[in-house]
Amino acid sequence: DDTSNSSVNNLKYCQLAFPSPPFLWKACLGYPILLIVLIVTYLPWYFILRAMVIDAHESGWYNQSIISIYDAIIWWITPKRIFYFYLLRMTRHCIVPFIRLFMTILIKWLIIGKFKEIFNEEERSLPWNCFQSWLMSRVLSPGEGPDGGLCGVAGLIGTHYETISIIYRLLGAKIGKRIYWPGSG
């Protein structure tokens, strides 16, 4: 954490400078919101998995009596099973990030609201200000690898397109037209 090149005036905006919100705020409001986001985000994945199980039972490619290696191989390479596994992977990596981003934008608009400039240490330590910063960091970065930017959407659409600017605008940032994002947001 080298802050020697940064202005002292800008350190007040650093997320790490905010204290953690009180435990009750996180337990009663924060974690339930994060759980709802997680559930809504994975609904399409769940419904595809459920469709696979129902299809397996109805079509007869669900086999509980695997007694040899040959039976196991045949069980795994059933064409419908392979189709569903690819569909699940595509949903997980290509659709779930966009749903998570949509939920993040919704939470930003409905719950977190607009961030205000904080002028002193007393304002910084107010529970709501701490909670805003904490919740926004949790819903925006699910912690899924180094390219988890914008809920993983930045890696899917590229970081230098107008779409990134639109997403930031939806999250409340003031960004002009034709902005070039070189490598990262």
Side-chain angles (χ1 to χ4, degrees), residues 11 16 21 35-36 40-41 51 54 57 65 99-100 102 140 154 158:
L11 289 177
L16 298 174
L35 182 62
I36 290 168
V40 169
T41 299
I54 291 170
H57 281 291
S65 60
I99 296 171
R100 180 160 184 117
F102 172 76
L140 192 57

Side-chain angles (χ1 to χ4, degrees), residues 52 56 60-82 85:
M52 181 181 82
W61 52 274
Y62 179 80
N63 187 356
Q64 291 182 343
S65 60
I66 299 174
I67 56 174
S68 69
I69 293 176
Y70 175 77
D71 290 339
I73 290 172
I74 296 300
W75 184 76
W76 277 108
I77 63 170
T78 304
K80 281 190 173 182
R81 181 183 309 279
I82 293 171
F85 282 154

Side-chain angles (χ1 to χ4, degrees), residues 3-77:
T3 57
S4 60
N5 293 332
S6 62
S7 168
V8 176
N9 292 333
N10 293 332
L11 289 177
K12 62 185 172 186
Y13 301 111
C14 178
Q15 179 189 11
L16 298 174
F18 280 80
S20 182
F23 175 75
L24 284 176
W25 281 72
K26 291 192 287 188
C28 296
L29 192 58
Y31 292 127
I33 290 170
L34 294 175
L35 182 62
I36 290 168
V37 168
L38 184 68
I39 290 169
V40 169
T41 299
Y42 280 94
L43 278 176
W45 185 87
Y46 167 76
F47 285 121
I48 293 170
L49 185 63
R50 183 173 163 84
M52 181 181 82
V53 171
I54 291 170
D55 189 21
H57 281 291
E58 290 176 357
S59 299
W61 52 274
Y62 179 80
N63 187 356
Q64 291 182 343
S65 60
I66 299 174
I67 56 174
S68 69
I69 293 176
Y70 175 77
D71 290 339
I73 290 172
I74 296 300
W75 184 76
W76 277 108
I77 63 170

